[in-house]
Amino acid sequence: MEEIKINNGENLNIVNNNKNEIVMNKRLNLLFIEGNRQNIDKENVRACYNKIKNLGYIESMPIEYIPMDEAIEKIGDRKLFKMSVERNVGKGEAIISNFKITLEVVKQEDYLNYDGVCEDGQHRDLALQFPALNEVQPTYTEVHIPANMDIVSYIALRNNGKVWNNGDFYNSGISTNNKEMDYILSLCKKYKAAFIFALYTFGTINLTSKQIKSIQLGYKKTSDYGKLQLNKSTRETGDKILNALKEHKFLSEDRFNGRFAQGLKQYYNEVGNDEQKVIDTINLIDKEQWDKHFTPKQGQSMEAKSYVEAFKALYADFEG
């Protein structure tokens, strides 16, 4: 590898000379610029922390920055900020379960005390400030703004790619290495995820999109969610309930949403985990009963709790 030096005298090792990706002997001290997503999402910081903590820093995903001498020429009237993580409650160092993010405006005369302006990777930069990640060595890439282009316009243009949404993760085919969870994901290709997540977690806590993404990305394991107990029993119950709904003469798939399934899940809990009673109640639904119990008044919507009350009232009519 070719060894070079930058103006602060630190030695750098080039990883990929074509992309200017570099591994630092020390971390860069970067500022954030006014206009570039100053409302930092603490959940994103936590996610970055967990990824780095569990996977290490992936060299091919460098933090991108604009060197300070170049940034100064393009800042204009915008402020530069020093963003830091600090302990939120009590004394001591910040930890991932107890932190806040502070913002300090930096004086112009102090700009050259910093290496540059963070262009992409603000959440990773903050995650790396936690003492628990002190030994992690990140990678950086210098970026250079085209002549006559506003600095924040460039940042916005650079970050204008489409971020994966929940559906992208569900349909990606990325294995969770858990056969029950992968089975649930396979059903999300046909049915709404919120509907399937509730239907296949009868008797255990809810499965969430956040859990799915963290496991598919590799920085969490299913064992990290110990209260989520997916097994042969939860699959069999889910299959029976789904089959009863699919074969129903009145109910159609457009009614299969998350709130309806959550209502079934809560009703299952209230009837003592009696799956047959849930199926019997489903089979009592026809157009007349739907209009009577499941059609809300004008301007209202059926929430999970409302579905539970409707299932109970429907079964009470049958018994009575």
Side-chain angles (χ1 to χ4, degrees):
M1 293 184 181
E2 178 188 357
E3 186 175 273
I4 62 173
K5 289 190 176 183
I6 57 173
N7 57 9
N8 65 2
E10 291 292 334
N11 293 328
L12 312 175
N13 289 323
I14 296 180
V15 174
N16 185 328
N17 198 26
N18 292 328
K19 295 183 178 179
N20 294 326
E21 292 175 9
I22 50 182
V23 178
M24 309 294 298
N25 288 341
K26 79 172 187 68
R27 294 188 189 173
L28 292 181
N29 198 359
L30 302 178
L31 298 179
F32 294 4
I33 188 169
E34 182 180 15
N36 182 21
R37 298 176 177 176
Q38 285 152 247
N39 295 323
I40 298 295
D41 188 336
K42 289 180 67 175
E43 286 304 311
N44 284 348
V45 175
R46 287 191 180 96
C48 288
Y49 174 93
N50 286 326
K51 291 172 189 176
I52 297 169
K53 184 74 173 175
N54 288 281
L55 300 176
Y57 195 93
I58 299 173
E59 291 185 358
S60 59
M61 299 174 63
I63 295 172
E64 298 183 0
Y65 75 102
I66 302 159
M68 186 56 75
D69 55 353
E70 181 177 335
I72 286 173
E73 298 177 359
K74 293 182 174 290
I75 291 168
D77 295 330
R78 290 191 176 91
K79 298 181 178 67
L80 294 183
F81 304 100
K82 179 180 179 181
M83 304 288 277
S84 306
V85 295
E86 297 180 1
R87 192 177 185 89
N88 186 41
V89 178
K91 297 181 180 181
E93 298 176 327
I95 55 176
I96 198 61
S97 60
N98 183 1
F99 77 98
K100 61 182 178 181
I101 299 169
T102 61
L103 178 152
E104 175 188 348
V105 177
V106 176
K107 298 177 181 178
Q108 291 185 11
E109 56 265 32
D110 293 330
Y111 286 172
L112 290 176
N113 293 330
Y114 297 86
D115 297 293
V117 173
C118 186
E119 180 269 331
D120 181 64
Q122 294 185 136
H123 293 94
R124 279 172 285 157
D125 183 85
L126 287 166
L128 287 163
Q129 293 185 26
F130 286 92
L133 300 182
N134 277 347
E135 301 305 314
V136 173
Q137 291 296 324
T139 53
Y140 298 90
T141 295
E142 284 188 10
V143 296
H144 303 284
I145 303 171
N148 302 318
M149 179 175 279
D150 177 83
I151 187 170
V152 177
S153 294
Y154 176 83
I155 292 172
L157 183 66
R158 174 64 182 80
N159 289 279
N160 199 34
K162 182 181 178 182
V163 177
W164 276 30
N165 59 31
N166 290 340
D168 293 326
F169 279 96
Y170 305 151
N171 292 293
S172 67
I174 301 173
S175 176
T176 64
N177 295 313
N178 178 284
K179 66 179 182 179
E180 302 302 336
M181 196 172 290
D182 284 346
Y183 179 74
I184 289 171
L185 284 176
S186 71
L187 295 173
C188 292
K189 295 178 180 179
K190 181 177 181 180
Y191 300 99
K192 294 177 181 177
F195 169 76
I196 292 297
F197 285 1
L199 215 62
Y200 280 80
T201 53
F202 277 28
T204 187
I205 65 169
N206 291 331
L207 176 63
T208 68
S209 59
K210 181 179 177 181
Q211 292 168 342
I212 291 290
K213 287 187 284 189
S214 66
I215 293 168
Q216 285 184 313
L217 287 171
Y219 64 92
K220 288 285 188 177
K221 301 181 180 68
T222 52
S223 58
D224 292 324
Y225 303 105
K227 293 182 180 180
L228 178 64
Q229 296 294 314
L230 301 176
N231 48 48
K232 181 180 178 181
S233 177
T234 54
R235 181 195 287 216
E236 290 176 346
T237 297
D239 282 346
K240 290 177 183 177
I241 302 298
L242 181 58
N243 190 59
L245 293 170
K246 287 194 300 183
E247 294 185 352
H248 201 282
K249 294 180 180 179
F250 171 71
L251 293 174
S252 53
E253 289 184 13
D254 62 305
R255 303 185 193 277
F256 299 170
N257 57 51
R259 288 172 293 181
F260 178 68
Q262 282 290 344
L264 284 171
K265 180 176 180 176
Q266 292 177 30
Y267 180 61
Y268 173 80
N269 293 337
E270 293 206 12
V271 297
N273 296 359
D274 186 340
E275 66 184 40
Q276 188 56 51
K277 187 169 184 178
V278 174
I279 292 171
D280 290 342
T281 305
I282 290 171
N283 290 332
L284 291 172
I285 300 173
D286 56 22
K287 185 179 186 310
E288 179 183 352
Q289 297 301 325
W290 185 269
D291 291 342
K292 179 180 179 181
H293 295 294
F294 299 90
T295 303
K297 297 178 181 179
Q298 188 174 3
Q300 297 180 342
S301 61
M302 289 289 286
E303 302 297 332
K305 183 178 180 181
S306 303
Y307 279 111
V308 175
E309 296 304 316
F311 293 133
K312 289 163 66 174
L314 176 62
Y315 200 82
D317 285 352
F318 167 73
E319 287 185 314

